[in-house]
Structure formats: C-alpha cells, structure tokens
Amino acid sequence: MTVALAHRLVEGPGTDAETVVLIGSLGSDRSMWNPQVGPLSASLRVLAVDLRGHGASPVPTGPYSVADLAEDVLALLDSLDLQRVHIVGLSLGGAVSQWIAIHRPERVRTLTLLCTSAKFGEPAQWLDRAATVRAGGTASVADAVLDRWFTPELAGRDADLVERHRRMIVDTSDEGYAACCEALSDWDSRADLGRISSPTLVIAGRQDPSTTPEDLKIIADGVTGSTFRVLDPAAHLANVEQAGPVTAAIAAHIGSDPYAAGRAAAHDTGMAVRRSVLGDAHVDRSISARTEFTAPFQDFITRTAWGDIWSRPGLDHHTRRLLTLAILTAVGNQHELDMHIRAALRAGLAPDELAEVFLHTAVYAGVPNSNSAFGLANAAIAETDSGSS
C-alpha cells in the first residue's frame, strides 16, 4: 500500500513546463537537493520528494522494498497529474529511479543516476545496519555516514555544511532508516539494466566509497546508449560537493538550460542597447551575416557587452561612447574603432568631440594610433557630409 509522500513542488516558469523529479539518498530529506532546485526551476517544474520513512513523509512499519518506495513516487506523480517526467536519483533514490525506469518506462522522459548502484554490496551489511539503527538510533551511524557523504577536504573547510547534513541524518526516523536499509539489502537490478530505454546519464564521484565509479560503470555499461561521467573531487553527495557541474549536467541531459530565462532577458536588454548605440542598420547587417558557427559569439556579445556592461547605470551612453573610442584608439583596433566612430556620428556626436578624444589619447597612449584614428574619423565625417548634401 502506498503512502502520501511529503514533497516540494516549484512551478518554475509555468505549469506547462516539463517536470524533473529529485529523489534522494538514504538518511536525507528533500533539502539535500537545494543546490539544484533554484537553478533548475528557471526552466523546469521541480519536484523534490521525501521517500517514505524520511523527512516529513509517513513512516509505516518495515521492512520496505525498493518497489514499495517507487510505487509511492508513482502515486505522488498520479496525484499531481504528472504522466511523464525527468527522474534524477542519488543512492537509494537512484535505485528507486532505476525501478521506475525498468518497470514503468512510459513514465520516464530521461533518467539521471548519481552515486548509486545496481547492487549495494551484500545483504548482511544492510541488515546489520538496520539492527544498529533500531537499537541505537540514526545518531549511532551519523558520523560514519558523513565520512562517506563528503570528501575530507570539503568537510575540513565547511563545518556548517557537515553539521547541517549531520542533523538531516539524525532527524531521520529510526524505523524509516532501518526499513530502507532492508530495501537496499534486497536490491539487485543488474539483470534488468538492459530494459532501461530512457536516455540515461550516469554520474559517479571519484572519492565515493559507498558507490564507487566502478559500481556506476556497471550501470552505464548495462544501459544502452547511456552517458557516463566521473566528478573529481566528489564523495557520495556529489550533488552538494559539485553542485554546479551536477546541475549543469542534469540540465544538459534533460535538454533544458537552468539559466535560459536569465540569458534571454539579458539578450533582449542587450539587443535594445546595441541598436540604440550602433544603429538598426548595422545590427541588422550583423544579424543577417550570422551563421551557425558565429551565433554563440553574437549571443555572448549581446548579453555581456550590451546587456551587462553598456546597461550599467554608473555611466551614461555618451560617456561610454567616448571611453570606447579612446580605448579602441589606444589598442589600435581599427576595425572596431571605425564602426564606433560611424555609430557615434550617426548618433549626433560632434566631430569636435571626436578630435578631443583622439588628442587626449595621443598624449597617454601614443601619437601613431591617434593619427590613425584621425584618419578614420576624417573619412567617416567626409562620407557623412557627402551623404547629407
């Protein structure tokens, strides 16, 4: 019988966005995914869950099976009317994710498996840990678990991070933790990996002693067409230790970009500023000449140079024009200088102001470059006068 899982649903850009489901480790709650939730929700609906026996979810009496845990997740998806989702699972969550991909493939758009295994060692070790926790509570295993979750280097420089995650383990229900240990004791998907048909990304932590890169390689080799990555440094909670790379890898695998909304806004702002400074005709020519090869650079320049620097409130556009002309003169970039001279004249900058910029630059950056600048400006002014007569 399924239980109603506690969860956090972040709508992101809208209710029509695709959904990514984040399923965590033994001894964790959904807050372990905080490094991913914010960035991913810029372009996706994000659902982070507490497995049964964890976080705020119910704690039925064990033992549990991985199938039980997976059916809980599927029931949650049904209750939210989510038919097909992107699934991301780490450790125990990775086993749950594998079960869903094997037994309910129609529910899975893409699969990302982090620091997990097709078989977690021998059953006896998990049954022993379950007995230890039932006798002494999750506090009795917390320090040993933390040693596996983070590399010594990270633990040594971030005591607050370690304490926060220690509290997560200690706050996990004793029975819930023990019953999930029993679920892991029985887990073995090795014979069924070939049944996974979803596009699959497999990520290991180089320093993970619990689910080693070799364990993850077994999964990658067993799932046709999967992609395999090893992060270094990273122990068991690779999504925390290597938050940026993990988030980027998940987003790329899903085919989504967690920063797309911000980049789109910066591009729109930059394009407006670029047109106001350089003129529509010049920008239209640049856009028409854009190729698939040059498009990433054009996007980069529009967002950074125009959407960021030229859009800052510290200097007005007139001052930025003068600075740009002086710098381009000083470095001898004649192609860009000629473009900005002509743009400045079209915008109404007086030839006398150009002369002052080039004279000033001659004193501090050298006569030859300023001489060339005067020549470019003279030709541009002549063409401007000719065109207006």
Side-chain angles (χ1 to χ4, degrees), residues 219-303:
I219 296 175
D221 288 345
V223 179
T224 302
S226 67
T227 301
F228 179 54
R229 291 187 59 182
V230 180
L231 297 178
D232 186 6
H236 196 52
L237 287 199
N239 74 300
V240 176
E241 188 148 4
Q242 291 281 358
V246 166
T247 304
I250 293 170
H253 178 59
I254 288 174
S256 174
D257 186 340
Y259 307 104
R263 281 208 296 263
H267 184 277
D268 291 346
T269 299
M271 185 58 73
V273 174
R274 186 180 178 190
R275 287 184 178 280
S276 72
V277 173
L278 298 179
D280 288 335
H282 172 82
V283 175
D284 288 342
R285 284 195 300 272
S286 296
I287 291 173
S288 65
R290 183 175 55 193
T291 66
E292 183 178 356
F293 177 69
T294 63
F297 179 75
Q298 289 291 321
D299 176 67
F300 166 75
I301 288 297
T302 301
R303 287 185 291 104

Side-chain angles (χ1 to χ4, degrees), residues 324-325 327-340 369 376:
T324 301
L325 291 167
I327 293 167
L328 291 172
T329 299
V331 300
N333 188 336
Q334 295 197 10
H335 172 74
E336 289 284 320
L337 177 59
D338 185 53
M339 178 183 72
H340 277 274
N369 283 353
L376 290 172

Side-chain angles (χ1 to χ4, degrees), residues 89-179:
L90 187 148
S91 191
L92 172 61
V96 173
S97 301
Q98 290 173 63
W99 192 97
I100 295 172
I102 291 167
H103 296 279
R104 301 289 186 272
E106 73 280 1
R107 307 301 295 268
V108 185
R109 291 183 182 273
T110 66
L111 178 66
T112 302
L113 301 173
L114 298 97
C115 301
T116 189
S117 186
K119 185 177 187 297
F120 293 81
E122 295 305 316
Q125 72 185 77
W126 293 105
L127 298 177
D128 288 346
R129 194 192 294 193
T132 298
V133 169
R134 285 195 173 104
T138 49
S140 66
V141 299
D143 290 338
V145 171
L146 287 170
D147 287 343
R148 300 183 184 96
W149 276 10
F150 305 115
T151 62
E153 292 76 16
L154 177 59
R157 69 175 183 267
D158 198 338
D160 289 343
L161 176 77
V162 173
E163 180 54 33
R164 197 162 62 247
H165 285 81
R166 187 180 194 281
R167 177 51 52 191
M168 185 188 297
I169 298 165
V170 172
D171 286 345
T172 301
S173 157
D174 298 343
E175 176 60 22
Y177 190 103

